[in-house]
Amino acid sequence: MSPIPNRSLAAAAVLSLAASLAAAQVNEPEPWKETAVTPPADWNAERAVEFRLDNTATLRYAIDPKTVRFDEDGVVRYVFVARSSSGALNAFFEGIRCQTAEVKTHARWDPDARQWRTGSDTWQALENRGATRRAWQMAQAGVCDGKAPNRSVNRIVDSLRNGRADQMR
């Protein structure tokens, strides 16, 4: 057997592999880029709709439906309000990234200064324990539809208040 056909086969294989790699690079999605956000100036704790996530919560939770937004980066952002039985109020401008099951607190409300203060720069994994438990429960309860945002403010609010229609209670 002559060495020329083997070289031709090897060259063809290399060219085929190079073409496959080039095609794969063309089809790769762009890396995710977070949208620049600012907290809503018109949020209102009195307008916020209360909901209950679990039976052990001592806080009253609410979400201001007028602040729910679906940004181009695939993140559902909203103002979340927590009230204690004594009336103390905490408000957070948060985002849940359903695709990767992450949450970020963009800002915290400072009631004394009556303005938003910068939150975290990092996304945290949603888990059913610890600091992200409440956001995990909200994602499960209706903010997310699997790995996609639930694209209806009314469905999100209704699901948080009454439970998801597609889940057994």
Side-chain angles (χ1 to χ4, degrees):
M1 215 175 194
S2 86
I4 294 174
N6 285 343
R7 285 186 194 153
S8 296
L9 286 174
V14 168
L15 287 175
S16 176
L17 178 62
S20 296
L21 290 173
Q25 288 177 351
V26 169
N27 294 329
E28 282 185 24
E30 297 256 343
W32 181 75
K33 185 175 179 183
E34 184 175 5
T35 300
V37 296
T38 56
D42 64 344
W43 77 279
N44 186 328
E46 302 311 314
R47 174 177 63 210
V49 177
E50 283 193 27
F51 59 91
R52 189 167 185 88
L53 293 175
D54 59 30
N55 294 330
T56 60
T58 58
L59 297 172
R60 293 179 10 228
Y61 298 142
I63 190 171
D64 181 351
K66 298 282 187 197
T67 65
V68 177
R69 62 193 218 201
F70 308 97
D71 288 328
E72 290 181 17
D73 58 5
V75 176
V76 180
R77 293 186 173 89
Y78 52 87
V79 171
F80 168 78
V81 178
R83 288 183 198 257
S84 70
S85 57
S86 67
L89 180 132
N90 288 299
F92 306 92
F93 177 54
E94 298 180 327
I96 293 179
R97 188 171 176 217
C98 300
Q99 183 179 21
T100 57
E102 294 175 301
V103 64
K104 182 177 184 178
T105 301
H106 296 287
R108 299 173 193 278
W109 180 251
D110 181 341
D112 296 328
R114 302 195 47 75
Q115 66 181 5
W116 291 104
R117 300 282 183 204
T118 303
S120 173
D121 285 338
T122 60
W123 289 90
Q124 294 181 301
L126 290 174
E127 297 180 330
N128 192 18
R129 59 183 157 77
T132 65
R133 177 183 167 104
R134 189 236 343 122
W136 179 86
Q137 290 176 328
M138 288 177 64
Q140 296 292 312
V143 172
C144 298
D145 184 9
K147 289 189 170 226
N150 187 345
R151 294 271 180 190
S152 164
V153 174
N154 290 336
R155 282 198 330 232
I156 288 173
V157 171
D158 186 56
S159 294
L160 288 171
R161 291 186 79 193
N162 305 311
R164 289 177 60 148
D166 61 346
Q167 291 179 339
M168 296 184 67
R169 297 176 209 204

